[in-house]
Amino acid sequence: MTQTTDFLAPARLGRLALPHHLVMAPLTRNRAAADGTPTDLMVTHYAERASAGLIIAEGSTPNPVGQTYPNITAIHTDRHVAGWRRVTDAVRAAGGHMFLQLQHGGRVSHPATTGLTPVSASAIALPETIFTPGGHQPAAVPREMTAGDIRTTIADFAAAARRAVDAGFEGVEVHSANGMLLHQFLTAGTNRRTDGYGGPLERRVRFAVEVTEAVAEAIGAERVGVRVSPGATVNGIDEGDETEELYPALAARLQGIAYLHLVHADPDSAVFRRLRRDWRGTLIGNPVLTDLTTDAVRAGSERMLAGGADLVALGRPFLANPDLVERLRRGAPLNPVRERYFMYTGGAAGYNDYPALGGVGQPSSDSIVAFDGARVA
């Protein structure tokens, strides 16, 4: 457990010595090639943010059916490995460290994007539209995964972890949050199974645990983190009144990995306090920031460390400020986030054109769109 609220002080994550406590959170930005291979834009984007203590790169699919939206990254072919290697080489040359998030969308997918029927814990469709190459479409009803599907998917995660290490990442983060496949198994509203992966809470955590165990066996537990989002309602998830029981039960089965990453963490919540008490490893907290000013980001980071987090994950502050750490160090103003260019747009706008201190090219006021505080990471 951290002993400081100074987020600029040196930190550690297992064997990694980090220059400070600030982590760049994974952000889906849809700038990959159509086949999921990272592009030149992404090499530049991540290299410019290498001053983060650790970069957790955006969710990459471990197999074709796991793809969520068009132009997201993947890590299941040699081409993907080669593309990501260009990114990790650039970040390492700039002095940075990287983990890769492994993300399977489950029902958060569409045949118009993948050519495949989505899969999930149960045949329950996402209760909203989903973005496809042809625009937003009604969600497809997923196919309930068979026992064979589950075994194959676990193996795909393990293979993706090995590929990530081959691509130069120092570890991986298993995405079990935000309504993606592993989260769909965790919650009763999306998991109506009657086999060993459904029913009581103890069986619903099994898939996430087995995926994590397979990944840890493939590359070493010290290279593995897990991201969870207690209480999240994104992508049609409803945990009901189980949140405070669900996540301690899951965390108890995950002890021994590199870290547990809490999305939109609230240090004053009962589930955060319980997880901090019980979790023996590194805890990463991702605060909700409704105001992206220097003072607000500093205060949110200090509060997270004071509440017991060991590292602080920031998403949109790093997105809009390639030199975020230096700005916070100096107390300099932060660039505003331009939501208009966040996803589905491609190109450098709103991705690689945010200026560093003393830089040029600050976006004009008519291109700055107000952000939704509930979505700010």
Side-chain angles (χ1 to χ4, degrees):
M1 182 172 172
T2 187
Q3 300 295 312
T4 181
T5 59
D6 180 4
F7 55 83
L8 295 177
R12 294 201 66 86
L13 175 60
R15 59 189 173 78
L16 293 179
L18 308 180
H20 50 76
H21 289 70
L22 300 181
V23 173
M24 180 175 168
L27 288 169
T28 299
R29 302 302 314 283
N30 305 79
R31 261 61 174 196
D35 72 345
T37 301
T39 59
D40 291 345
L41 283 172
M42 295 173 61
V43 175
T44 299
H45 180 79
Y46 283 113
E48 288 181 343
R49 288 155 179 80
S51 60
L54 172 72
I55 294 174
I56 306 173
E58 62 205 82
S60 289
T61 58
N63 56 30
V65 75
Q67 182 179 354
T68 51
Y69 313 113
N71 299 101
I72 68 164
T73 62
I75 187 70
H76 53 81
T77 72
D78 291 346
R79 181 176 170 84
H80 298 148
V81 171
W84 274 120
R85 169 63 75 172
R86 296 173 60 231
V87 175
T88 61
D89 282 349
V91 169
R92 187 169 293 105
H97 302 285
M98 292 191 80
F99 271 45
L100 178 66
Q101 186 184 80
L102 304 182
Q103 171 190 275
H104 190 305
R107 70 176 186 168
V108 185
S109 184
H110 200 281
T113 300
T114 65
L116 302 167
T117 300
V119 297
S120 186
S122 298
I124 302 171
L126 183 73
E128 55 196 62
T129 62
I130 185 168
F131 190 79
T132 75
H136 280 275
Q137 297 192 36
V141 177
R143 178 174 60 79
E144 181 173 304
M145 294 174 70
T146 66
D149 292 330
I150 289 173
R151 288 192 298 272
T152 298
T153 302
I154 291 171
D156 287 343
F157 269 93
R162 287 189 290 268
R163 286 185 178 275
V165 172
D166 290 344
F169 289 98
E170 295 178 83
V172 301
E173 176 178 275
V174 175
H175 195 10
S176 190
N178 294 345
M180 297 301 167
L181 179 64
L182 273 62
H183 201 179
Q184 292 159 30
F185 270 81
L186 292 177
T187 62
T190 47
N191 184 346
R192 306 285 175 80
R193 304 176 72 92
T194 58
D195 63 1
Y197 292 91
L201 183 153
E202 292 75 16
R203 293 210 300 257
R204 281 184 274 124
V205 304
R206 178 181 170 188
F207 182 54
V209 170
E210 290 184 356
V211 166
T212 305
E213 288 175 342
V215 168
E217 183 177 353
I219 63 172
E222 74 281 0
R223 293 178 178 266
V224 180
V226 170
R227 196 183 207 210
V228 295
S229 52
T233 58
V234 67
N235 287 317
I237 290 293
D238 181 1
E239 295 176 354
D241 59 0
E242 287 192 323
T243 300
E244 292 185 18
E245 181 183 4
L246 172 62
Y247 290 95
L250 175 62
R253 302 276 302 275
L254 299 177
Q255 296 282 5
I257 61 173
Y259 67 78
L260 188 66
H261 181 181
L262 306 187
V263 179
H264 289 177
D266 178 2
D268 294 329
S269 69
V271 68
F272 183 98
R273 293 196 299 268
R274 171 76 181 277
L275 288 171
R276 178 63 286 177
R277 186 194 74 191
D278 295 348
W279 184 252
R280 296 191 294 271
T282 296
L283 188 70
I284 302 178
N286 164 230
V288 176
L289 299 172
T290 56
D291 186 10
L292 295 187
T293 63
T294 305
D295 287 346
V297 173
R298 289 182 65 94
S301 300
E302 290 168 351
R303 177 172 176 263
M304 192 60 62
L305 294 178
D310 299 293
L311 299 170
V312 181
L314 301 171
R316 293 171 187 238
F318 271 112
L319 162 65
N321 299 274
D323 56 348
L324 176 66
V325 177
E326 186 60 23
R327 287 174 184 265
L328 294 176
R329 194 185 311 276
R330 296 190 197 182
L334 303 186
N335 295 321
V337 174
R338 289 177 291 152
E339 292 283 342
R340 180 180 303 171
Y341 303 104
F342 191 76
M343 293 177 70
Y344 314 136
T345 61
Y351 190 62
N352 286 349
D353 60 349
Y354 285 107
L357 288 170
V360 296
Q362 178 70 30
S364 60
S365 60
D366 65 357
S367 71
I368 298 173
V369 182
F371 57 79
D372 174 359
R375 293 177 58 215
V376 173

